[in-house]
Amino acid sequence: MRAVPLKHQHRTNLLWLSALVHRLSGLALAIFLPLHFWALGLALHGEASLGNFLRWTDDWFVKLSEAGLVFLLAVHLLGGLRLLVVENLAWRGGQKQLATLAAAISAAIAFVFLVRAL
Amino acid sequence: MNVRLYIAQRLTAAVMVPLVAVHLAVIVYATRHGLSAADVLSRTRGSMAWGLFYGIFVVAAAIHAPIGIRTVLAEWSPLQGRGADLVATGVGLLLLALGLRAVAAVVLP
Amino acid sequence: MSNARSELRVSLWRGGEDGRYETYAVPLRENQTVLDVVTWVQRNLDSSLAYRFACRVGMCGSCAMTVNGRPRWTCRTHVSRVAEGGRLEIGPLENLPLIKDLAADMRPFFEKWQQARGAFAPSKTRHDPIEKIRADSPARRAADAAIECINCGVCYAACDTVRWDEDYLGPAALNRAWTLVNDVRDTANAERLEAVAANGGCHACHSHQSCQEHCPLALNPTASIAGLKRRTMLGFLRGEIEA
């Protein structure tokens, strides 16, 4: 057994969490994208083919999942934007606040989508 | 190699910032108690502009995602070096092929 | 939790990689650092306890250990601030091989420092006039913001990218490389840029800022590494680096 402390307290660092969210959202989107492309590709067989598939997504649970995807896309975008600024412009503080703001705005966008979708 | 991959990933990220923003806006705007095929296709069918928009989007994503996946594999999975490169490249090719097919599907009249 | 508590229950890592935590009862004092606690155990309970310290006043960085899950200087950590319910858990610094008990092997840390070309390469001799450096030049400001590092290893122990990527040079080595990149007197920048652009170099950093969060001197290796990312990108576009 390695000398591993009972808690990894540095993982309560908000920016570590923000990096994790960025990574997991990226992975989730990368897995979702081929399915998304496949679904859209159904239009090759005519509008009805795509239409049939989209009718299946009328389910409230699917709409909730879609809102989740919207959140993941938005949070990946805004977190990524924060990183692009950190890496390419002069250093600025307040990164924790910016990360929190990114998450909040993403949640808001996903909420608006859900309200419109239901 | 690292600098090349770094630049490729960050550059495609920058390119996708406005693309994702527009895509999110369209999604939220177009969704009204769900989305029908007509909603999607009436916008995109026969449109050079949307064809170009989503075409660039697909290419950028197909470059951007594999680079991130490669890093995640190298850091979190037993797969390293060559193995991670191969899986990542495979994902990229898959995204490119399916993506361009999807763009054709919704844009071609 | 009793106000009349007179002792601490302190768990210390004993042995090598396959060792275990052992618990000791240590008298609680009003003003006590974690280093005081470790020293008390070694002097009064078990003289075979291995640990490092030197200055005891927060200048040398030798006493860095993992205290309740966080890497920190034990001489500058007051027990009253970290003991939860009268308990403390102290282990060696993480991300480094273990020699014994609380003493980690710092060699990989220093080897990566060298690998990152963290050493100054002079261009003049004592017979040349002194180089006039303006303290307020942007390059010198950038170097000065990062120069105070005393290689204590806390950032290295806190960094998850070090944990996940054994090639990663780490925040301290890259931070030092950045100060030298900004030193107009240095002559090794061609090799240095190659070194920090290699596998495990600056591009591996994910900007978690755990280094900055834990640095006892409030340095910001994340910012330094961002600077290296910009500098290597420029170097690549100029053909200075073979990437």
Side-chain angles (χ1 to χ4, degrees):
Chain A
M1 189 187 89
R2 178 67 175 91
V4 172
L6 287 172
K7 302 178 269 196
H8 276 144
Q9 281 203 12
H10 57 271
R11 291 199 182 140
T12 58
N13 173 12
L14 187 85
L15 294 175
W16 184 89
L17 194 67
S18 155
L20 187 69
V21 166
H22 191 74
R23 177 170 282 201
L24 294 179
S25 63
L27 280 175
L29 290 167
I31 293 171
F32 165 71
L33 223 45
L35 303 170
H36 185 47
F37 290 159
W38 170 83
L40 290 167
L42 288 172
L44 281 173
H45 304 300
E47 184 173 318
S49 182
L50 179 61
N52 281 332
F53 175 80
L54 287 177
R55 242 182 300 283
W56 169 78
T57 65
D58 258 348
D59 177 60
W60 70 265
F61 182 71
V62 176
K63 290 182 183 179
L64 194 62
S65 309
E66 288 173 348
L69 282 164
V70 167
F71 173 76
L72 292 176
L73 184 58
V75 88
H76 194 78
L77 164 70
L78 293 175
L81 196 55
R82 184 180 71 79
L83 278 177
L84 285 175
V85 168
V86 161
E87 290 179 344
N88 293 291
L89 302 178
W91 181 265
R92 71 238 14 251
Q95 291 303 319
K96 291 190 179 190
Q97 289 84 334
L98 288 175
T100 309
L101 193 63
I105 295 176
S106 304
I109 296 173
F111 180 74
V112 170
F113 168 83
L114 188 62
V115 162
R116 289 176 71 85
L118 286 173
Chain B
M1 199 41 175
N2 298 300
V3 189
R4 262 186 245 268
L5 288 176
Y6 172 83
I7 293 176
Q9 195 193 34
R10 269 47 171 190
L11 196 64
T12 50
V15 163
M16 285 196 283
V17 167
L19 301 183
V20 171
V22 168
H23 191 51
L24 277 170
V26 171
I27 290 171
V28 173
Y29 171 77
T31 301
R32 236 22 200 118
H33 305 298
L35 202 66
S36 72
D39 289 332
V40 174
L41 296 171
S42 61
R43 206 183 312 275
T44 59
R45 272 268 151 83
S47 165
M48 259 277 269
W50 283 120
L52 210 59
F53 180 87
Y54 284 116
I56 294 173
F57 204 169
V58 163
V59 171
I63 295 171
H64 182 83
I67 300 173
I69 288 171
R70 182 182 170 270
T71 302
V72 178
L73 286 173
E75 287 184 357
W76 282 1
S77 85
L79 218 54
Q80 299 290 311
R82 266 332 257 150
D85 286 349
L86 283 169
V87 171
T89 309
V91 170
L93 292 172
L94 182 73
L95 288 173
L96 190 65
L98 285 178
L100 293 177
R101 179 175 174 272
V103 174
V106 300
V107 165
L108 292 177
Chain C
M1 224 167 87
S2 155
N3 281 332
R5 174 175 296 118
S6 61
E7 68 178 27
L8 290 165
R9 309 280 313 154
V10 180
S11 294
L12 301 177
W13 185 263
R14 300 305 311 271
E17 306 259 342
D18 54 357
R20 60 188 225 279
Y21 282 103
E22 287 192 15
T23 308
Y24 305 84
V26 176
L28 180 66
R29 304 239 150 83
E30 218 179 286
N31 283 308
Q32 199 174 30
T33 66
V34 174
L35 182 61
D36 291 336
V37 166
V38 173
T39 301
W40 195 92
V41 171
Q42 197 269 345
R43 287 186 185 169
N44 296 284
L45 295 181
D46 188 347
S47 61
S48 73
L49 176 66
Y51 71 106
R52 269 198 205 96
F53 77 99
C55 74
R56 319 163 313 3
V57 294
M59 277 182 59
C60 72
S62 306
C63 67
M65 299 176 209
T66 309
V67 179
N68 286 355
R70 262 184 88 109
R72 51 200 313 165
W73 292 351
T74 50
C75 71
R76 297 284 292 208
T77 304
H78 274 254
V79 167
S80 56
R81 292 259 171 88
V82 293
E84 293 161 16
R87 309 185 69 89
L88 273 179
E89 184 188 84
I90 306 167
L93 278 184
E94 289 186 63
N95 295 339
L96 290 164
L98 182 57
I99 300 174
K100 177 174 178 273
D101 302 341
L102 302 172
D105 184 349
M106 297 291 289
R107 274 177 301 188
F109 177 81
F110 288 114
E111 278 159 14
K112 287 181 176 179
W113 191 282
Q114 296 298 324
Q115 235 184 293
R117 297 278 181 162
F120 178 68
S123 52
K124 302 206 153 122
T125 69
R126 67 186 63 207
H127 308 294
D128 296 314
I130 294 173
E131 180 98 33
K132 288 197 171 71
I133 309 281
R134 290 201 42 187
D136 59 356
S137 71
R140 195 62 233 169
R141 281 233 193 91
D144 285 344
I147 202 77
E148 300 289 342
C149 173
I150 56 173
N151 6 4
C152 69
V154 164
C155 62
Y156 191 83
C159 179
D160 272 293
T161 307
V162 168
R163 183 193 310 272
W164 296 334
D165 179 359
E166 61 182 17
D167 292 331
Y168 184 43
L169 295 175
L174 291 169
N175 179 72
R176 178 51 56 96
W178 172 243
T179 65
L180 292 167
V181 159
N182 282 287
D183 194 326
V184 298
R185 303 164 297 174
D186 184 272
T187 57
N189 264 327
E191 299 93 320
R192 190 170 294 115
L193 287 180
E194 295 275 6
V196 304
N199 276 342
C202 63
H203 304 102
C205 168
H206 297 303
S207 302
H208 294 158
Q209 280 182 238
S210 293
C211 50
Q212 186 258 338
E213 175 100 347
H214 287 77
C215 176
L217 295 172
L219 298 177
N220 191 347
T222 305
S224 301
I225 292 167
L228 286 176
K229 286 171 176 170
R230 290 193 289 275
R231 185 65 186 83
T232 49
M233 191 159 56
L234 197 64
F236 172 75
L237 294 171
R238 283 184 188 161
E240 293 167 1
I241 309 180
E242 310 235 322

